[in-house]
Amino acid sequence: MDLDLRLAALTNLVNDPSPEVEAKLLSELDRVKGVLNSSTEYDDLNAALQVLAILTTRFSFRVLPMLTAFVRSAPQRELTWGGEPIVESHRKYRSAAQLIREAVDVPQTIRYVHVGALMDFLLEIWRSEDKDTSNKAGRALDSLATFKLNLFYGDPPVGARPQKEVVDYFSQMGDAQLLAHTSIALIMLQRVLSPTMEGHTWTYNAVNISRGGVPADGGVVEMRGSAIELLKRMFLLSPAVAHRELVLQAMGAATRRERPSNDARTSAMFESNAIEVLNFLRDQVPMQEMQVVQAIEHDGYWNYYHAASPLISAASLEVRDAVGKLSEYQIYKDLIGFKGIHGVWEELKGSQTAWEDRDKQRREASARYLDSIDAQTYDMWRTRILEFSKSRSDDLAMFPIFYDFLGSLAQRMPTMALELLRDHEDRVQPFVIALLNGLWASDRAEDALALVRAWMADRTKLASIAKSLNVDEKPRFELMGEILDEADREDDAEGAVAVIQSMGVAAHQFGLGHTEAKAIFLKGMRMAAKRHDARWVNVIWFSKDIRKFVESLNAAERAEVLASMAWVKKIGYEAEEVLAAIAKVDSEAILGYLMDRVRFDRNNEGRSEVFDDEDTSFEAIPYNLHTLDKVLSALPGELLRAVRAEFTPDEAGMFPYYSGARLIKAAFPEFNEAVQAELLAFIKTGNQTDIEFVIGVLRTFAGDVPILDISKEIIKLVPERSTAWGDVAAAIESTGVVSGEYGMLEAYQTKREQIAPWKDDESLRVRAFAAWLTDSLDQMIISERQRADAGIALRKHRYGGSPDPT
């Protein structure tokens, strides 16, 4: 039986309680079990999972053990497709991992029936090494913990039972097991502590989204209390700063509410939760790392600013007072504290202007700290700097004041800076650039150079050394050259990054007027080109002096730059800025570069081995250009002739999907008169391939622009009812984006109206084509109306809806 028919029949039978149906469904369940246990045929396994998803509501106790056994055994099977081993190019879409991801969806209809067993199943998949598979399980777990308004108040009401079972599940884990599941546990705990819930109801033509606050009913109070206790326990499981910051983020969910509630019990619940969390934070302040204290202070102020009651406000201020007792933290906050609260809380809450002088005050404090360092405070400040250097962030730009402080310190007290770099290399690793930058301007620059050369001999910190040379005075171009030489000795990630950073420094130095930096840039670019590495574009694109640098290049050097950019995987705004700078002085070279990408795409389609890394994605031409289109729009003839030169009749049918067609549409999104004139010139040649090319261009624009005039000229030249008629008709019938149930119908009616004047055209061929296309559109209109009417009727049957007025 056809799979769709089988699924439809099972859907109708699964709720039938009769013994005969029960026997048939059990037989089908046993058949599915046999397939999942032993089959290697991908389509059979996929079909079995679809059948099992329907049977799940009837046999919920048997489903999860079957799925668990399948998920564990599937990766060990040699899967087939059509009886043959699945070839490498198809494994992305037909693999054991893909089947396991499908298995995640199977028990969704019973996810609140067996929460514990479902979490066992999903967490096992979440631990998968396959990222897509793990993420799919993670999304299912996230949904399991999320409140659903329709279920909370359903018939019968579910309340907070699923959320309680989630909290209980994690609470029963041992410390080591809970720590191993920290990331997914925190995501789910944030969901169960959410102050809001949503519900969805469907009709045949609308979906209604309802939103409300979580009440103090249905076991919510007890569940939230247990979740907060679990978070307290999790906070102490690891001393790692990153771990504790994540737990604090989850705890924050317990302090938030949707809006003020008229229900006293609900208001009391949120107030009690917020105070409990704030009191925990207050008590943790004296024992935490500075970076954690900063996060606590930040959360304390958030609760103070949004306090819904005087008691919450008072508890928040207790956090502030506990933080205020840490004198060392006040210094940390001035130098590092990108999330710290600077100023008097009461004033900050009442006035936005109180925030405005924060950076100025911090820089003034930084200057005072520098002035206070002397022989007596030397050891204290060295210890303090090492402690502060433990702070980490995904974006080191979050530490600008500490960077400037270390740079000034290195210039004033190079002995301490050298000691930090020599004896505490690992601790100050994120701040090596700042320290070196200051040392280059100090009276111990030669000692810094000796240290740097030692690092270079060990091939360490090459990128940091290169970046430290980005100074306004006395740039060390000889050292930059040595860094490039060292980076080129081995083809490794360290060397590749060093090359890119050196190019960025050279580009900046050229902008400062150091012309010798050009040679450094070109040397680095040649090295990057050998590695097929075009990431240097991301380093220099924003330089305000990029145009000045490009203007200094001769034709041969511009050609080298473009050749190096051949390995740009996708032309984003960074690459486009560089190309636009070149286009200002050599637009033809840019057109040549883009056509090289078009040819590369066609010649290497599907060949991942041409790339040197795991990311084999390649987009020759973007769908939209934001700068280059202005350059290319002045070259309609040159661009169209270049794409036409690559066009062959055997690719005419697929031309709209090729990168050459995409280049035309990106360069001329408005299909302007200049483009139309060039296309008419191709038509007038009478050459069949030229005409096929123009038809391909018309189809590329997919009905988004007026193409009727060009289409008519083609019809005048081609034989009646030829292949070209069908291709031109396809171009005219293209609708672009439509909306509404009858959107396509209305689009076809508009097309019919647009070609109506052709019936009176002086050309016999045009009149014949108009009659032929009108008949075709009439059939399409009838068919589309039937399809839309049937779709509405089906949705009314499925979701309900009032009959149309008669």
Side-chain angles (χ1 to χ4, degrees):
M1 181 187 293
D2 177 81
L3 177 61
D4 289 337
L5 293 176
R6 178 185 290 273
L7 296 176
L10 289 172
T11 301
N12 290 329
L13 292 174
V14 74
N15 293 318
D16 188 329
S18 67
E20 296 82 4
V21 170
E22 176 82 4
K24 290 180 180 180
L25 293 179
L26 280 171
S27 176
E28 182 67 6
L29 184 66
D30 289 338
R31 184 193 69 80
V32 167
K33 182 178 180 180
V35 172
L36 293 178
N37 282 345
S38 59
S39 177
T40 61
E41 180 63 29
Y42 181 89
D43 286 346
D44 291 346
L45 290 167
N46 188 46
L49 291 172
Q50 293 182 62
V51 170
L52 188 59
I54 295 173
L55 298 177
T56 295
T57 56
R58 184 73 171 255
F59 306 107
S60 62
F61 285 98
R62 296 182 58 177
V63 168
L64 286 172
M66 289 171 57
L67 286 172
T68 300
F70 169 71
V71 164
R72 291 173 178 173
S73 64
Q76 280 72 52
R77 302 184 201 179
E78 187 67 34
L79 297 181
T80 59
W81 184 44
E84 299 292 332
I86 298 175
V87 297
E88 182 66 31
S89 60
H90 290 170
R91 287 181 185 173
K92 181 177 180 180
Y93 307 103
R94 296 182 178 88
S95 65
Q98 180 62 36
L99 288 170
I100 293 172
R101 291 194 285 273
E102 296 295 333
V104 169
D105 293 328
V106 170
Q108 290 307 297
T109 56
I110 59 165
R111 60 186 181 275
Y112 301 118
V113 178
H114 310 291
V115 173
L118 180 59
M119 287 191 66
D120 285 338
F121 170 69
L122 291 176
L123 284 173
E124 182 170 337
I125 299 175
W126 175 80
R127 293 189 290 268
S128 169
E129 294 181 359
D130 181 82
K131 183 177 179 180
D132 291 338
T133 302
S134 177
N135 288 343
K136 180 71 178 288
R139 290 192 293 273
L141 288 163
D142 186 314
S143 176
L144 179 64
T146 300
F147 280 105
K148 306 292 193 300
L149 192 149
N150 296 354
L151 290 170
F152 189 93
Y153 294 110
D155 185 17
V158 172
R161 178 183 58 77
Q163 288 71 29
K164 179 182 183 300
E165 291 188 45
V166 167
V167 175
D168 290 346
Y169 184 95
F170 285 118
S171 297
Q172 292 163 11
M173 286 184 173
D175 287 353
Q177 187 182 15
L178 183 57
L179 186 60
H181 291 83
T182 292
S183 60
I184 189 63
L186 291 179
I187 289 171
M188 297 181 76
L189 288 172
Q190 285 188 78
R191 292 300 187 193
V192 305
L193 288 169
S194 171
T196 63
M197 64 174 97
E198 287 188 355
H200 306 83
T201 55
W202 296 78
T203 64
Y204 81 97
N205 63 351
V207 56
N208 296 312
I209 301 176
S210 304
R211 181 183 176 96
V214 172
D217 297 320
V220 170
V221 174
E222 297 79 7
M223 181 277 297
R224 286 176 63 91
S226 298
I228 292 171
E229 288 302 317
L230 178 58
L231 285 170
K232 292 180 184 179
R233 175 188 163 201
M234 292 185 69
F235 183 85
L236 301 173
L237 287 180
S238 169
V241 169
H243 169 84
R244 292 190 169 180
E245 285 185 321
L246 287 173
V247 177
L248 289 175
Q249 182 179 339
M251 277 188 175
T255 68
R256 286 153 174 76
R257 64 180 72 194
E258 171 73 352
R259 61 176 65 90
S261 175
N262 294 325
D263 180 68
R265 289 185 65 241
T266 299
S267 294
M269 175 185 72
F270 283 116
E271 180 181 71
S272 174
N273 290 164
I275 292 172
E276 183 176 0
V277 169
L278 288 165
N279 288 343
F280 176 78
L281 299 184
R282 176 201 62 203
D283 295 341
Q284 291 299 317
V285 166
M287 300 172 284
Q288 298 306 315
E289 299 269 7
M290 294 295 177
Q291 192 167 344
V292 177
V293 173
Q294 178 182 235
I296 290 174
E297 182 185 36
H298 181 273
D299 290 350
Y301 180 77
W302 189 96
N303 279 278
Y304 173 73
Y305 186 87
H306 296 278
S309 74
L311 290 176
I312 295 175
S313 180
S316 302
L317 291 174
E318 288 183 19
V319 173
R320 178 200 63 183
D321 295 341
V323 171
K325 293 176 182 179
L326 301 179
S327 58
E328 193 67 12
Y329 174 71
Q330 307 312 311
I331 301 173
Y332 174 90
K333 181 164 61 174
D334 286 333
L335 294 177
I336 294 282
F338 57 94
K339 289 176 64 177
I341 307 302
H342 301 267
V344 179
W345 285 22
E346 291 85 352
E347 294 178 1
L348 294 173
K349 182 177 181 179
S351 171
Q352 184 62 36
T353 58
W355 293 88
E356 293 177 357
D357 293 333
R358 181 175 61 171
D359 282 351
K360 179 182 177 182
Q361 294 168 359
R362 291 179 63 195
R363 292 192 180 279
E364 290 173 350
S366 175
R368 291 195 301 272
Y369 297 144
L370 276 172
D371 292 339
S372 72
I373 304 176
D374 54 26
Q376 285 72 37
T377 61
Y378 182 98
D379 290 342
M380 179 184 68
W381 270 102
R382 179 187 56 202
T383 301
R384 180 175 285 149
I385 290 169
L386 289 172
E387 181 65 24
F388 290 2
S389 295
K390 291 163 60 176
S391 296
R392 295 292 184 266
S393 171
D394 292 336
D395 182 2
L396 289 178
M398 301 301 288
F399 305 131
I401 292 176
F402 192 50
Y403 251 65
D404 292 345
F405 172 83
L406 291 176
S408 298
L409 172 76
Q411 185 174 357
R412 289 191 191 186
M413 299 184 175
T415 300
M416 182 186 289
L418 288 166
E419 181 183 352
L420 292 170
L421 290 171
R422 286 171 177 159
D423 300 340
H424 307 282
E425 181 181 329
D426 292 340
R427 178 67 65 83
V428 299
Q429 172 60 37
F431 307 103
V432 165
I433 297 169
L435 290 166
L436 284 178
N437 203 273
L439 281 168
W440 296 133
S442 76
D443 56 10
R444 297 194 62 180
E446 292 306 310
D447 292 326
L449 182 60
L451 177 61
V452 161
R453 290 196 191 283
W455 286 341
M456 290 170 61
D458 293 335
R459 287 186 59 77
T460 61
K461 300 182 177 59
L462 295 179
S464 295
I465 298 168
K467 205 166 183 179
S468 77
L469 297 174
N470 206 6
V471 296
D472 293 341
E473 298 180 6
K474 299 180 181 179
R476 297 170 178 266
F477 294 114
E478 181 181 352
L479 184 56
M480 288 187 205
E482 293 176 21
I483 293 171
L484 287 175
D485 291 338
E486 188 60 49
D488 199 38
R489 293 188 197 285
E490 293 185 32
D491 186 7
D492 60 0
E494 171 78 15
V497 175
V499 169
I500 292 169
Q501 293 297 344
S502 297
M503 292 175 67
V505 171
H508 177 72
Q509 293 297 326
F510 185 89
L512 295 177
H514 300 291
T515 56
E516 57 266 55
K518 176 180 173 180
I520 296 293
F521 180 91
L522 292 174
K523 180 178 181 178
M525 186 191 66
R526 290 164 187 143
M527 292 178 179
K530 285 194 305 181
R531 302 169 187 261
H532 296 170
D533 188 351
R535 289 177 296 166
W536 58 265
V537 169
N538 300 326
V539 175
I540 73 161
W541 71 272
F542 56 84
S543 172
K544 62 183 179 181
D545 299 308
I546 183 63
R547 285 186 173 81
K548 185 189 301 183
F549 178 77
V550 167
E551 288 172 1
S552 75
L553 301 175
N554 59 39
E557 290 166 342
R558 288 195 298 271
E560 281 193 86
V561 171
L562 292 174
S564 177
M565 292 183 67
W567 297 99
V568 170
K569 297 290 184 67
K570 297 180 181 180
I571 299 178
Y573 58 87
E574 303 95 339
E576 196 173 346
E577 285 295 322
V578 177
L579 294 172
I582 298 175
K584 292 288 185 181
V585 295
D586 195 348
S587 58
E588 291 185 2
I590 295 301
L591 178 56
Y593 168 79
L594 295 172
M595 288 307 304
D596 285 342
R597 293 180 67 85
V598 169
R599 285 186 284 270
F600 179 90
D601 188 34
R602 185 177 62 185
N603 296 336
N604 295 284
E605 186 177 6
R607 289 177 55 202
S608 60
E609 68 271 15
V610 300
F611 299 99
D612 296 335
D613 55 20
E614 294 181 359
D615 179 14
T616 60
S617 60
F618 179 77
E619 181 185 74
I621 306 295
Y623 286 97
N624 298 290
L625 294 170
H626 306 288
T627 306
L628 283 179
D629 58 324
K630 300 174 181 61
V631 176
L632 297 174
S633 63
L635 304 169
E638 292 87 339
L639 192 152
L640 287 168
R641 286 191 291 274
V643 178
R644 165 63 184 87
E646 300 297 323
F647 177 85
T648 58
D650 59 350
E651 68 182 19
M654 294 298 295
F655 178 76
Y657 308 102
Y658 291 161
S659 51
R662 189 185 296 180
L663 175 59
I664 294 173
K665 189 171 184 180
F668 312 109
E670 302 301 325
F671 199 64
N672 58 37
E673 292 181 1
V675 175
Q676 295 181 43
E678 294 292 339
L679 293 176
L680 284 172
F682 280 116
I683 295 171
K684 290 176 181 177
T685 66
N687 180 283
Q688 182 178 347
T689 305
D690 285 344
I691 293 173
E692 290 178 352
F693 169 70
V694 174
I695 294 173
V697 173
L698 297 183
R699 291 180 58 208
T700 298
F701 283 86
D704 292 336
V705 296
I707 62 171
L708 292 183
D709 290 344
I710 303 292
S711 300
K712 183 188 289 188
E713 295 304 316
I714 295 173
I715 295 302
K716 290 178 181 179
L717 293 176
V718 299
E720 290 189 21
R721 298 187 181 273
S722 62
T723 302
W725 268 35
D727 294 335
V728 172
I732 294 174
E733 290 166 356
S734 296
T735 62
V737 178
V738 299
S739 61
E741 295 153 332
Y742 293 99
M744 288 295 295
L745 171 67
E746 292 165 356
Y748 290 148
Q749 289 174 333
T750 299
K751 298 289 183 182
R752 190 182 188 283
E753 294 170 3
Q754 288 173 343
I755 66 164
W758 288 20
K759 295 179 179 179
D760 299 321
D761 194 87
E762 61 183 18
S763 169
L764 179 62
R765 288 179 175 177
V766 171
R767 294 198 301 273
F769 177 83
W772 174 77
L773 181 56
T774 298
D775 288 343
S776 175
L777 286 169
D778 285 343
Q779 293 301 314
M780 294 167 71
I781 289 170
I782 293 171
S783 176
E784 183 59 27
R785 184 181 296 279
Q786 292 173 344
R787 186 206 63 78
D789 289 344
I792 291 172
L794 180 60
R795 291 198 302 277
K796 284 183 176 180
H797 173 74
R798 183 176 299 173
Y799 300 113
S802 302
D804 292 331
T806 56

